[in-house]
């Protein structure tokens, strides 16, 4: 049951007919793993913490640097040189000390990914490299874990939700990550954020939408981005959704 303080804290969710008291209780019991505490992981973690997700795991092996602060809003100048999992955990505790934060100060590998995701209900991928994205997508499909994956580069962003182990109404499986991107792009084919840059505020937009998709996997409402990809073009302020 929610405590009196939680009833006050989450009052705007509780009166929301799409969530309500039972939905908020599900959020409080939920365990979500966020991979990457950077440009996307920052807003995802902030909004999942504010939403009252009871347990948040954070995977990141990096430390906070000054060049991160243009987009990684969960960190501050006082956090420079701290592990990102530590800095993010402190910010989450300041938002809601009732949340259990589980830091994973490491990089996902073929040897540790299955054990890392095993205890979580939903996975959010905010990583910045294709090796991690493919590794995580394959592991989540094998473990039957919902995966909400997003990416941002320069002025463009994308978002989709993956449940390839579940079936559509017609009996066919929902597509997986490799149905959308069959092969990794060649090394160097797509410039990194450090090479091409990225609009900081766009990370906030995509990361916030990613948090919505995670929340709807916990307390279902509306139509999730299953078999669909949302593409955001900040140059022309255009949002388009395509089926795949």
């Amino acid at each position: 049951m929610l405590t009196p303080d939680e009833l006050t804290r989450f009052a705007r969710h509780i009166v929301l007919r799409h969530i309500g008291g039972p939905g908020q209780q599900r959020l409080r019991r939920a365990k979500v793993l966020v991979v990457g505490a950077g440009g996307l992981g920052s807003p995802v973690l902030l909004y999942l913490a504010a939403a009252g997700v009871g347990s948040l795991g954070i995977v990141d092996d990096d430390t906070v640097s000054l060049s991160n602060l243009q987009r990684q809003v969960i960190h501050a100048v006082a956090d420079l040189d701290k592990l990102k999992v530590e800095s993010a955990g402190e910010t989450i505790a300041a938002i809601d000390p009732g949340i259990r934060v589980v830091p994973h100060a490491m990089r996902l590998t073929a040897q540790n990914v299955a054990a890392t995701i095993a205890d979580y209900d939903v996975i959010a991928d905010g990583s910045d490299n294709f090796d991690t994205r493919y590794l995580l997508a394959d592991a989540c499909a094998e473990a039957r874990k919902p995966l909400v994956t997003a990416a941002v580069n320069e002025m463009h962003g994308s978002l989709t939700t993956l449940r390839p182990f579940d079936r559509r109404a017609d009996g066919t499986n929902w597509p997986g990550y490799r149905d959308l991107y069959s092969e990794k792009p060649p090394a160097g084919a797509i410039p990194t954020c450090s090479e091409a840059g990225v609009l900081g505020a766009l990370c906030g937009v995509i990361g916030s939408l990613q948090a919505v998709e995670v929340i709807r996997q916990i307390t279902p409402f509306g139509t999730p981005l299953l078999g669909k990809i949302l593409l955001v073009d900040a140059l022309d302020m255009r949002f388009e959704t395509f089926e795949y």
Side-chain angles (χ1 to χ4, degrees):
M1 298 295 291
L2 299 173
T3 67
D5 282 349
E6 288 172 334
L7 290 172
T8 299
R9 177 187 288 270
F10 304 121
R12 300 303 184 272
H13 270 179
I14 292 169
V15 299
L16 188 64
R17 62 189 177 92
H18 299 293
I19 296 181
Q24 190 60 54
Q25 290 177 0
R26 284 195 291 269
L27 287 168
R28 210 53 168 165
R29 292 193 299 268
K31 296 182 287 185
V32 176
L33 179 68
V34 179
V35 179
L40 290 170
S42 289
V44 172
L45 287 165
L46 288 171
Y47 274 106
L48 293 182
V53 171
S55 182
L56 288 171
I58 311 169
V59 175
D60 202 302
D61 67 342
D62 200 6
T63 57
V64 180
S65 65
L66 190 60
S67 63
N68 298 148
L69 303 185
Q70 164 257 11
R71 65 203 177 281
Q72 299 182 14
V73 293
I74 203 166
H75 312 295
V77 170
D79 300 318
L80 294 180
D81 298 324
K82 282 184 183 177
L83 286 169
K84 288 183 181 178
V85 294
E86 178 185 349
S87 171
E90 290 172 354
T91 302
I92 291 167
I95 293 171
D96 183 352
I99 293 173
R100 176 174 176 258
V101 177
V102 183
H104 301 274
M106 63 185 191
R107 183 173 290 270
L108 290 180
T109 67
Q111 289 71 42
N112 65 27
V113 63
T116 303
I117 68 174
D119 291 335
Y120 294 94
D121 304 310
V122 184
I123 318 299
D125 183 9
S127 61
D128 61 357
N129 66 88
F130 287 101
D131 288 341
T132 300
R133 290 172 191 162
Y134 279 85
L135 175 71
L136 189 59
D138 290 344
C140 287
E142 177 69 22
R144 303 178 66 86
K145 302 283 185 179
L147 173 63
V148 181
T149 183
V152 175
N153 192 272
E154 298 186 56
M155 297 282 186
H156 303 88
S158 65
L159 173 65
T160 190
T161 295
L162 301 167
R163 297 179 64 112
F165 45 84
D166 280 341
R167 296 184 182 275
R168 299 181 175 98
D170 65 4
T172 61
N173 285 72
W174 290 106
Y177 193 72
R178 291 180 183 271
D179 296 306
L180 182 59
Y181 303 113
S182 59
E183 296 181 355
K184 298 178 190 177
I190 299 177
T192 65
C193 289
S194 61
E195 294 167 338
V198 61
L199 182 65
L202 180 61
C203 296
V205 172
I206 301 298
S208 298
L209 292 170
Q210 192 174 8
V212 172
E213 282 293 289
V214 171
I215 289 169
R216 78 162 88 231
Q217 292 300 304
I218 298 166
T219 176
F221 58 85
T223 305
L225 287 169
L226 288 170
K228 300 176 183 177
I229 185 167
L230 172 66
L231 301 179
V232 179
D233 178 355
L235 284 173
D236 298 319
M237 197 52 74
R238 188 171 67 244
F239 288 65
E240 297 180 283
T241 304
F242 298 95
E243 293 187 358
Y244 63 92

